[in-house]
Amino acid sequence: MKKTSLLLLLAAQSVAMSVPVFAQEQAPVSIQVDLSKTKAPMKPIWAWFGYDEPNYTYMKDGKKLLTEISQLSKVPVYVRVHSLLVTGDGTAALKWGSTNAYTEDSNGNPIYDWTIVDKIFDTFIERGMKPIAQIGFMPEALSSRPKPYRHYWKPGDNYNDIYTGWAYPPNDYNKWAELVYQWVKHSVEKYGKKEVESWYWELWNEPNIGYWKGTTEEYIKMYDYSADAVKRALPSAKIGGPEVTGPAWDKSATFLKTFLDHVTKGKNYATGKTGSPIDFITYHAKGAPKVVNGHVQMNMGTQLRDLDKGFEIVASYPSLKKLPIIIGESDPEGCAACSEDLHPQNAYRNGTMYSSYTAASFARKYELAEARGVNLLGAVSWSFEFEDQAWFRGFRDLATNGVDKPVLNVFRMFGMMEGNRVEVNQNLAYDFKKVRDQSVRDAADINALASKSTNSAGVMVWNYHDDNVPAPDVPVEISIKGLPTGKVALLHYRIDKENSNAYEVWKTMGSPKQPTSEQISILEKAGQLQLLTSPEWITPKNGEAQIKMKLPRQGVSFLYFKW
């Protein structure tokens, strides 16, 4: 018997050793949402967009995308564009735009022509959108160094080639001020006082780098003249700045502080009084992707540190701390027109990495602002569309040739989030401080942002990682407390490889360079936000519901409850 038992035991061990060992499925990530615990209003900080090329605004695909952006939001979407005062014939090109708003006759007298500027703003206002009216760049006739003026930059060229005569200070500050005054005055006459009061007027873009070829003090002087002109034309207009980029960089922080010191206690160049009008504060925050071991590695921490440093600086000025802050550009990196084919670190842009990054980063913007006690009004996604370019070329855009990319569907999800932000438990792999300080390099960032209004609630759940490498789907269990009694409708939307993803569909077609009209129709449909499952009615027990799902890496789910 003993011998038999020993043989059986040895045989069992042999079988066990010959059977392959399968990895155990990952333990579920548990997320608790409590709709009854309000944190703060769910500000639509995401409803802000911008782009370099203003003349794309009224072109075919530009109009189509603006319509879609306006339709995804219940609140007016704000749009910021460059080059609204640049001299030229309105021809669109990468990193270039013009309106010919200001020229001079042979005697040096000003000629104002608002035709193209109005065409741009009309396109916004017809859709219920509103401009962040950027005062810039310098008209050729006013530039202190006008030649060369028009650039012909293309991807692959030196980026510094774009900084030509439009980037220089004015040769006459009084003429510049009169131009600003006439623009605001014209806008009031055309659109009405109430409409223009709802806009944001700002001066220039990134004056701490090549966009401004003057000194910090010359920018401040131009701000004084511009702000005075805006307020003379419409005292209730909102004016702000300085739109520096990267406040975590010491030179940028110094520029921002010098500007804020001036507007609070400096001598005004235009009026001689102390300080300058300022109704909101602007700066930029960017991430820094790179290619590591053959794959794209994002760096969300870099972007969040820029955000946080700017918040810290603003919070250090008691008289400015509660002013609205607009992050004039808030993106995973710094060059929308630098395509993937020449910049492989930008390969995140076509697929779901851009959408999961957007979900995870916007959620942390709320928390960073809250921690610093500042008033974050909006964060501009510097991403639009590039007219007549190759399909899915890898620009930082929301759509390609009129077909929406996965990232636009995150904004559709945000558009359904109303009311107040509510509590999501923070015993997960990352909180906003850890992402800010370390980015997402160890475990995946599986987390949620949740909101509740009178008769709806939304829970956005993401599975994000800085490294774009394959990983198993993760089981996620979400507990939602504070739902009403009775039946509640649940709609589960998803962005992943199979859902809300025109890019993957395009690849299955063979990546056609010129899709047929039938293929384009399929792609347009695939680019819309899609339900993962059919809508269903659920009955919460004691106001609580449990939702289980498997969430792919770089996937985003949106649970929308209606009652």
Side-chain angles (χ1 to χ4, degrees):
M1 288 290 290
K2 287 182 179 179
K3 187 176 181 181
T4 305
S5 298
L6 180 60
L7 289 170
L8 288 169
L9 178 61
L10 289 170
Q13 288 177 336
S14 176
V15 171
M17 291 172 69
S18 67
V19 174
V21 177
F22 293 99
Q24 287 186 326
E25 186 177 84
Q26 180 178 335
V29 174
S30 179
I31 298 175
Q32 284 84 44
V33 176
D34 194 336
L35 301 177
S36 66
K37 293 186 177 177
T38 297
K39 294 188 73 174
M42 181 73 199
K43 287 184 182 178
I45 63 169
W46 49 267
W48 303 69
F49 296 89
Y51 43 102
D52 292 83
E53 300 85 3
N55 306 102
Y56 287 161
T57 300
Y58 47 78
M59 296 175 75
K60 172 176 59 74
D61 291 337
K63 282 185 169 183
K64 180 179 180 181
L65 181 54
L66 286 168
T67 297
E68 291 194 273
I69 293 170
S70 69
Q71 289 171 344
L72 63 81
S73 174
K74 289 188 176 180
V75 300
V77 171
Y78 281 85
V79 188
R80 175 180 184 257
V81 293
H82 291 339
S83 303
L84 289 171
L85 297 177
V86 168
T87 304
D89 61 4
T91 299
L94 295 177
K95 304 292 294 183
W96 175 260
S98 61
T99 67
N100 229 40
Y102 181 93
T103 52
E104 292 181 354
D105 65 17
S106 57
N107 295 318
N109 297 312
I111 301 170
Y112 303 107
D113 184 349
W114 307 114
T115 305
I116 296 178
V117 173
D118 287 350
K119 192 174 181 181
I120 292 165
F121 283 11
D122 285 350
T123 308
F124 300 153
I125 290 163
E126 286 163 5
R127 288 159 178 77
M129 306 169 107
K130 294 182 181 294
I132 304 174
Q134 187 181 115
I135 303 170
F137 297 118
M138 195 58 61
E140 188 171 12
L142 286 181
S143 175
S144 55
R145 188 176 169 183
K147 302 295 183 184
Y149 192 77
R150 170 77 160 92
H151 72 70
Y152 295 91
W153 181 89
K154 62 184 184 301
D157 292 351
N158 186 328
Y159 195 82
N160 291 318
D161 290 351
I162 71 170
Y163 306 128
T164 51
W166 55 263
Y168 285 84
N171 53 33
D172 187 320
Y173 282 86
N174 288 313
K175 280 187 174 182
W176 168 261
E178 185 63 19
L179 166 60
V180 176
Y181 173 83
Q182 291 295 336
W183 185 14
V184 179
K185 181 170 171 284
H186 164 77
S187 299
V188 172
E189 290 168 354
K190 178 173 173 58
Y191 300 106
K193 177 172 176 282
K194 185 177 179 182
E195 173 62 34
V196 179
E197 283 176 334
S198 69
W199 301 359
Y200 293 90
W201 296 85
E202 59 158 11
L203 179 65
W204 224 255
N205 177 70
E206 300 183 341
N208 60 312
I209 62 171
Y211 278 91
W212 176 243
K213 291 296 187 179
T215 64
T216 303
E217 205 59 31
E218 285 173 318
Y219 174 84
I220 285 170
K221 179 178 180 179
M222 190 166 69
Y223 180 85
D224 285 350
Y225 275 88
S226 303
D228 178 65
V230 168
K231 295 290 189 180
R232 281 190 288 111
L234 180 62
S236 52
K238 296 188 282 275
I239 177 72
E243 291 288 8
V244 294
T245 189
W249 176 28
D250 57 353
K251 290 183 179 179
S252 177
T254 299
F255 193 114
L256 180 57
K257 290 175 185 174
T258 303
F259 173 78
L260 296 179
D261 286 344
H262 176 80
V263 298
T264 51
K265 58 189 179 187
K267 183 179 179 181
N268 190 296
Y269 280 95
T271 66
K273 298 178 181 178
T274 300
S276 306
I278 186 163
D279 301 295
F280 59 96
I281 297 165
T282 59
Y283 61 90
H284 299 176
K286 306 281 188 174
K290 60 184 178 179
V291 175
V292 177
N293 298 325
H295 70 268
V296 174
Q297 182 184 78
M298 308 298 281
N299 196 336
M300 191 181 294
T302 298
Q303 184 184 2
L304 297 191
R305 288 190 291 275
D306 271 344
L307 285 161
D308 194 43
K309 186 62 179 180
F311 291 155
E312 180 188 11
I313 291 170
V314 173
S316 71
Y317 291 81
S319 63
L320 304 178
K321 185 175 181 179
K322 294 304 178 185
L323 280 185
I325 295 172
I326 299 171
I327 311 302
E329 297 177 24
S330 190
D331 304 291
E333 38 62 44
C335 179
C338 296
S339 56
E340 174 191 347
D341 50 2
L342 293 168
H343 303 271
Q345 72 273 22
N346 293 336
Y348 75 90
R349 293 167 164 181
N350 287 328
T352 57
M353 194 175 207
Y354 192 6
S355 42
S356 62
Y357 182 106
T358 299
S361 61
F362 265 88
R364 275 48 189 255
K365 294 170 193 179
Y366 287 104
E367 294 178 306
L368 286 166
E370 201 169 63
R372 293 290 183 186
V374 295
N375 177 15
L376 176 59
L377 181 67
V380 176
S381 293
W382 199 253
S383 47
F384 186 53
E385 66 95 18
F386 292 86
E387 206 86 18
D388 299 323
Q389 294 290 333
W391 285 79
F392 294 101
R393 191 178 175 190
F395 290 116
R396 191 173 70 236
D397 49 13
L398 305 172
T400 175
N401 291 282
V403 168
D404 300 339
K405 288 185 173 183
V407 64
L408 186 58
N409 287 313
V410 168
F411 293 104
R412 291 191 169 105
M413 292 175 172
F414 278 127
M416 290 185 272
M417 301 186 80
E418 301 178 89
N420 293 308
R421 280 190 301 121
V422 296
E423 186 176 279
V424 177
N425 73 303
Q426 291 296 321
N427 346 319
L428 297 162
Y430 293 88
D431 59 15
F432 74 95
K433 291 180 182 176
K434 186 174 179 182
V435 180
R436 176 196 65 191
D437 297 341
Q438 302 177 24
S439 205
V440 182
R441 297 295 164 82
D442 298 324
D445 174 29
I446 301 168
N447 214 314
L449 175 70
S451 67
K452 179 180 182 291
S453 65
T454 307
N455 51 16
S456 69
V459 182
M460 184 185 290
V461 188
W462 58 85
N463 177 356
Y464 171 76
H465 200 286
D466 271 350
D467 288 292
N468 202 21
V469 294
D473 295 359
V474 176
V476 182
E477 297 180 355
I478 303 142
S479 168
I480 297 110
K481 295 181 179 178
L483 288 164
T485 55
K487 287 196 175 293
V488 174
L490 169 60
L491 293 88
H492 185 171
Y493 298 91
R494 168 66 65 81
I495 305 166
D496 60 19
K497 193 171 181 179
E498 283 80 35
N499 299 279
S500 315
N501 193 332
Y503 180 52
E504 290 296 329
V505 174
W506 179 73
K507 288 195 293 184
T508 64
M509 292 175 172
S511 306
K513 292 183 178 179
Q514 292 182 314
T516 65
S517 57
E518 183 181 2
Q519 287 175 321
I520 291 171
S521 179
I522 293 168
L523 290 170
E524 286 176 330
K525 185 177 180 182
Q528 299 299 304
L529 180 61
Q530 295 164 1
L531 287 164
L532 180 67
T533 57
S534 296
E536 60 178 306
W537 291 98
I538 62 170
T539 306
K541 294 180 180 178
N542 299 317
E544 186 170 351
Q546 304 284 337
I547 309 297
K548 296 181 179 181
M549 69 174 83
K550 284 196 172 182
L551 190 58
R553 177 65 60 89
Q554 313 301 10
V556 183
S557 265
F558 184 66
L559 304 173
Y560 187 50
F561 301 89
K562 294 173 69 177
W563 56 85

